Amino acid sequence: MASEATAIPHQPTGSIQAEVAVPARPGVVAAAVYQNGQRLRDIQIEEAGQWRGREDVVVWIGLHEPDEMLLRQIQAEFNLHDLAIEDAGKAHQRPKLEIYGDAIFVVARTAHMADDQISFGETHLFVGRGYVISVRHGASTSYMAVRQRCEASPAALAHGENYILYSILDFIVDSYMPVVEAIHSEVEELEDRLLRDRLDKADIERLYLLRRNLLRLRNAVVPLVDVCRRHEHLELPGMDAAMQHLFRDVTDHVRRVQEDIDALREVLAFTFEASLMIGQSEQTEISRKLASWAAILAVPTAIAGIYGMNFEDMPELRFRYGYFVVLAIIVGLCVTLYRFFRRARWL
C-alpha cells in the first residue's frame, strides 16, 4: 500500500530513544510507528492519526478486547468504517475479508491446545495505507513474537502494512499445526487401542469430542483459505506485487492444514465405525455360542422330557439296559452337535 504523503522530519537519535516508553492503557498491548522498517517510537492512541499517511511510515497498533470507547477513538484516528468497528467489537465472527474504500478488514479465528481441549479466539485486522490495527478476542496468543520477528528484519518490514499483515496471518496459520499434531497423536493412540483391544465408553466419548473439535477447527480454517487466496491478487487496495509469493505460501499452508483436518476426521469416522463393527461382531459371536449350547442342551432336555411323562406302557421301562442306551444316545447326539458347531466356528 504505497504512500504519497510527506516524509517524517529528521529527529535526533537521542530524542527518539527518550520517547519510547509510553504509559500503559487498558486494551492496548502495543502501539508503535515504523519508518523504512525501523521502529521510531511508541505512541499514544491520541497521536496515532498524526503519523498516518507519512512517507514510508506505518503505524502498528495491537489491541486486546478493547472497550467501545477505545474502538471509537481508533475509528476517529484512522477514519475506519462503522460496520468494521461494529464487527471488531464483537467476537464470534466468521472468518472473512471485507473491503471498505482503500482499506480492508480481515477476520481470522485462532486456535491452541489448553488442557487437551482446543481453545478458540479471534483476530480482527484493519489494514490501510500506513497502518495496521489488530484486535484480539478470547483465547488468542499475543502477537508480540510477530512484532519482534518483524523488527528483527527491517528490510522485510520496510514493505510496511503488507508485510505486517502477512506475518500475522502466517503466525495464525502456523498456530494451527500444533493443534492438528496433538489431535493426530491422540487419534493414533485410539487406533492402536482399537486394534489391541476394544474401545470403552470413555474412549468413544473422547472420539466424539475430537471429531466435534475438528469440525469447529475446520470451520475456522476453511474460510481462511479464501481470505489468504484473495491476498495473492492485486485487486485488493494497496496490495504490493512483491508480497504475492508470501501470501501464496500462507495459502498453501492453510490448505495443508485443511487437508490434515479432513484426513483426521475421516480416520475418526472409520475408527468409530470399526469400533461399532467390532462390537457387533462380538455380539454375533456370543449369540452364536449361546445358540450352539442351547441346541446341545435341548437334546437331553427333550429326551428327559419324554421319559418324564409318567406313562405306564412305555416299552423301554422294562428294558434292562434302557437307561444306559438312552444316556449313550444323549451323549452321542450332544457330541455330534458339538463337533458340528466347532467346524462351523460357532464354538
Side-chain angles (χ1 to χ4, degrees):
M1 301 178 180
S3 174
E4 301 175 357
T6 58
I8 299 174
H10 176 72
Q11 301 182 33
T13 305
S15 63
I16 294 175
Q17 297 298 327
E19 298 178 30
V20 168
V22 173
R25 176 175 176 178
V28 180
V29 178
V33 61
Y34 301 83
Q35 184 178 35
N36 294 320
Q38 298 289 342
R39 182 171 183 149
L40 295 182
R41 51 169 288 188
D42 292 346
I43 59 174
Q44 296 280 5
I45 300 300
E46 293 79 2
E47 59 179 316
Q50 303 173 9
W51 297 86
R52 178 190 175 193
R54 297 188 181 185
E55 185 69 30
D56 299 322
V57 170
V58 59
V59 177
W60 185 357
I61 298 176
L63 308 177
H64 181 252
E65 298 184 350
D67 56 25
E68 185 177 357
M69 181 180 298
L70 179 56
L71 283 177
R72 292 301 176 184
Q73 188 173 5
I74 290 288
Q75 180 185 18
E77 293 292 329
F78 295 96
N79 193 26
L80 303 178
H81 199 278
D82 288 336
L83 293 178
I85 288 294
E86 183 180 351
D87 288 343
K90 302 176 182 178
H92 310 295
Q93 296 289 328
R94 188 178 185 274
K96 62 181 179 179
L97 186 153
E98 300 287 349
I99 300 176
Y100 297 100
D102 61 349
I104 63 174
F105 176 65
V106 178
V107 178
R109 299 290 304 276
T110 59
H112 69 276
M113 295 299 295
D115 299 328
D116 296 330
Q117 297 291 335
I118 303 179
S119 296
F120 292 92
E122 287 185 28
T123 294
H124 302 171
L125 299 170
F126 298 91
V127 184
R129 192 177 71 177
Y131 66 88
V132 175
I133 303 167
S134 65
V135 181
R136 293 189 295 115
H137 290 279
S140 175
T141 305
S142 173
Y143 296 140
M144 290 303 297
V146 180
R147 188 181 293 267
Q148 294 171 359
R149 189 189 311 160
C150 291
E151 292 177 354
S153 304
L157 187 55
H159 287 281
E161 56 273 11
N162 287 310
Y163 185 76
I164 296 174
L165 175 61
Y166 152 75
S167 299
I168 294 177
L169 289 178
D170 185 60
F171 182 80
I172 292 174
V173 173
D174 286 345
S175 68
Y176 293 147
M177 293 306 299
V179 177
V180 174
E181 290 173 358
I183 295 178
H184 185 270
S185 300
E186 193 164 357
V187 170
E188 286 187 339
E189 182 180 348
L190 286 173
E191 280 188 299
D192 294 339
R193 194 176 306 167
L194 174 65
L195 296 176
R196 290 194 310 264
D197 196 1
R198 59 175 298 179
L199 301 182
D200 55 22
K201 181 180 178 182
D203 293 330
I204 297 297
E205 291 177 353
R206 182 58 182 166
L207 190 150
Y208 173 78
L209 289 175
L210 286 174
R211 200 158 190 268
R212 186 180 65 178
N213 287 336
L214 280 175
L215 178 60
R216 295 176 61 194
L217 183 60
R218 189 180 188 278
N219 291 337
V221 169
V222 172
L224 197 59
V225 175
D226 181 66
V227 171
C228 295
R229 183 184 58 79
R230 292 180 64 183
H231 283 93
E232 300 177 24
H233 308 288
L234 298 179
E235 69 267 13
L236 291 181
M239 183 54 60
D240 187 354
M243 301 296 297
Q244 282 184 288
H245 68 284
L246 293 179
F247 284 109
R248 188 178 300 114
D249 183 65
V250 177
T251 304
D252 292 339
H253 287 174
V254 72
R255 281 176 175 164
R256 191 179 312 151
V257 172
Q258 178 188 352
E259 292 173 357
D260 291 342
I261 292 174
D262 291 339
L264 286 175
R265 293 185 72 237
E266 290 182 3
V267 171
L268 284 174
F270 173 77
T271 303
F272 182 73
E273 292 175 0
S275 176
L276 291 179
M277 292 174 62
I278 291 175
Q280 292 175 355
S281 176
E282 291 179 349
Q283 290 178 358
T284 301
E285 184 177 356
I286 294 173
S287 298
R288 287 177 176 179
K289 289 182 178 180
L290 292 177
S292 301
W293 285 115
I296 293 173
L297 293 176
V299 172
T301 302
I303 296 176
I306 292 174
Y307 283 92
M309 290 187 290
N310 297 324
F311 289 114
E312 294 183 359
D313 298 329
M314 296 181 68
E316 295 86 355
L317 295 179
R318 295 177 177 80
F319 181 51
R320 183 177 182 180
Y321 302 102
Y323 176 74
F324 303 102
V325 171
V326 170
L327 289 180
I329 293 173
I330 291 175
V331 172
L333 290 175
C334 291
V335 170
T336 302
L337 288 174
Y338 178 80
R339 295 180 62 183
F340 172 78
F341 289 126
R342 287 285 292 181
R343 284 198 299 267
R345 297 185 178 178
W346 283 36
L347 290 177

